[in-house]
Amino acid sequence: SPSALNVYLDCRLKFYLQYIAGIKEKEEVSEEIDAGVFGNLAHYSLENLYSGFIQRKKRTQIEEGDFVELRKNWIFPAVEKAIRDFYHLEDEAETKLNGQLAIARDVIQGYVDQVLAYDASTAPFRLISLEKEKKYQTTLQIKTLNGARRVALRGIIDRVDELNGVIRLIDYKSGGDQKTFPDLDALFDRSLEKRNKAAMQTLFYGLIYQGTHPENTAPLKPAIFNLKEVFNDNFDPYLYQKEGRKTGIEVLDYKDYDPDFQTKLKELLEELYNPEIPFDQTEVLKKCEYCPYKEICGR
Ligand code: SF4
């Protein structure tokens, strides 16, 4: 998955501990709704909202006019369902959400409404898939010391839709992810403190989408809906290849980056499967700051 590969690029030891030794992060039981939980709830809310639309209307095409009803009547139930499912609360109306969850619900509603306002401004578009309902996958052939090997690549794309003949591969983010990257090398350069993981992830989506639908000829455009940015007047979810203050080039189609992206990914996987390269600690100490394995690894 792209998250596993991003962990491997960040720190080989962290990848080993998490994905090979299978050591789970400490689960802190907390009353607080942290940024990660908040992001998940916003994701699920948007998924509920659009899957509910498809079920009710029996269509996947969304027109601008549909957003009036969606924004007025369907945000509250979509967010409420996301919270109840996440915390395994009963559906019954009498179980009221406690104070903190009720506040979270109200804040998430604001974000979801803003995403819908943006979506309305770009409508009409056609929903192709939403998060859990579809897994995209492909394989890559790599060379290992024991001969050739096929590696399965898969991922869950938050939303895939089609806008003006372009297939958008959308990732909802709740952090401060950047949407620019200087070049493909930089996405695979583990020595960079600020390697753009979101760009790597959404380009990976291009690869697995095309692998799942080899017949596709439409452009595959990565998009990052950063919830923190949706309130900006000039909100722009698209990726730009850009260095420093220079004017960037918008990423219009994943296929423009293929096969270079595949070549880099193969090199990375060949390194991962090479027994001569140890799962060692990262040299970029900044990556250790929020690492859950800090104590085990002694950093
Ligand atoms: S603390 Fe740092 S070196 Fe240790 S596993 Fe985490 S990221 Fe790697």
Side-chain angles (χ1 to χ4, degrees):
S1 68
S3 27
L5 291 170
N6 269 326
V7 170
Y8 181 73
L9 274 166
D10 272 355
C11 174
R12 287 182 279 240
L13 178 60
K14 184 176 178 189
F15 174 87
Y16 173 81
L17 295 170
Q18 187 169 340
Y19 292 97
I20 299 180
I23 299 173
K24 299 258 182 305
E25 283 184 36
K26 229 196 282 176
E27 281 204 23
E28 311 251 352
V29 183
S30 162
E31 300 274 298
E32 307 263 310
I33 298 172
D34 63 21
V37 172
F38 184 86
N40 282 336
L41 292 173
H43 272 71
Y44 298 142
S45 303
L46 283 159
E47 190 186 354
N48 290 339
L49 195 115
Y50 280 128
S51 58
F53 174 88
I54 296 171
Q55 274 167 17
R56 282 192 312 279
K57 303 280 184 183
K58 308 271 180 287
R59 62 179 155 92
T60 52
Q61 178 81 4
I62 307 196
E63 307 292 334
E64 192 183 347
D66 290 320
F67 284 93
V68 177
E69 194 201 349
L70 270 175
R71 292 177 69 184
K72 191 161 162 246
N73 299 334
W74 296 101
I75 296 179
F76 182 91
V79 178
E80 180 94 3
K81 180 171 172 9
I83 294 177
R84 287 185 187 277
D85 289 351
F86 189 81
Y87 287 100
H88 306 291
L89 300 172
E90 299 299 326
D91 267 343
E92 318 313 311
E94 59 261 30
T95 45
K96 282 232 169 77
L97 297 183
N98 72 28
Q100 215 193 26
L101 287 182
I103 292 170
R105 178 191 60 204
D106 295 347
V107 175
I108 293 167
Q109 282 191 89
Y111 281 100
V112 171
D113 185 54
Q114 200 55 34
V115 172
L116 292 193
Y118 174 76
D119 280 345
S121 74
T122 61
F125 56 86
R126 181 174 66 88
L127 291 164
I128 296 175
S129 72
L130 298 165
E131 210 158 349
K132 289 189 237 90
E133 70 189 18
K134 172 131 183 154
K135 283 203 171 70
Y136 291 94
Q137 58 184 21
T138 189
T139 58
L140 269 191
Q141 175 132 332
I142 61 162
K143 289 193 207 100
T144 72
L145 294 183
N146 299 322
R149 182 177 181 127
R150 279 206 163 268
V151 180
L153 305 173
R154 59 173 66 120
I156 296 172
I157 310 176
D158 288 341
R159 173 171 130 200
V160 180
D161 65 19
E162 187 197 338
L163 174 73
N164 300 327
V166 173
I167 293 176
R168 298 191 302 173
L169 310 165
I170 298 175
D171 201 45
Y172 300 126
K173 291 275 188 213
S174 50
D177 293 271
Q178 294 293 317
K179 289 187 289 281
T180 61
F181 64 101
D183 50 33
L184 278 186
D185 283 338
L187 299 185
F188 290 85
D189 183 351
R190 52 164 49 93
S191 70
L192 293 178
E193 220 172 78
K194 292 195 172 159
R195 192 178 58 80
N196 191 331
K197 297 184 212 179
M200 155 86 177
Q201 182 179 355
T202 46
L203 286 170
F204 182 96
Y205 290 161
L207 172 67
I208 56 173
Y209 184 91
Q210 193 63 35
T212 310
H213 297 288
E215 73 290 350
N216 172 60
T217 53
L220 297 173
K221 192 169 183 182
I224 298 167
F225 277 39
N226 199 326
L227 298 178
K228 278 192 185 151
E229 290 176 5
V230 284
F231 287 96
N232 298 350
D233 290 339
N234 52 357
F235 173 64
D236 178 350
Y238 302 116
L239 279 184
Y240 289 83
Q241 186 178 341
K242 181 173 177 322
E243 201 137 16
R245 288 165 181 243
K246 288 189 197 151
T247 324
I249 308 164
E250 191 174 351
V251 177
L252 299 172
D253 186 357
Y254 160 76
K255 294 196 259 12
D256 297 338
Y257 290 82
D258 193 77
D260 289 350
F261 186 78
Q262 284 202 42
T263 305
K264 301 227 160 292
L265 201 53
K266 269 188 199 171
E267 282 167 13
L268 182 70
L269 290 164
E270 283 169 2
E271 181 199 298
L272 200 158
Y273 278 88
N274 184 347
E276 286 167 7
I277 297 180
F279 291 101
D280 54 359
Q281 292 177 313
T282 175
E283 285 167 13
V284 185
L285 293 180
K286 187 104 187 133
K287 313 247 175 187
C288 306
E289 263 175 30
Y290 300 103
C291 177
Y293 304 104
K294 252 199 295 202
E295 285 168 37
I296 301 179
C297 110
R299 272 279 167 82

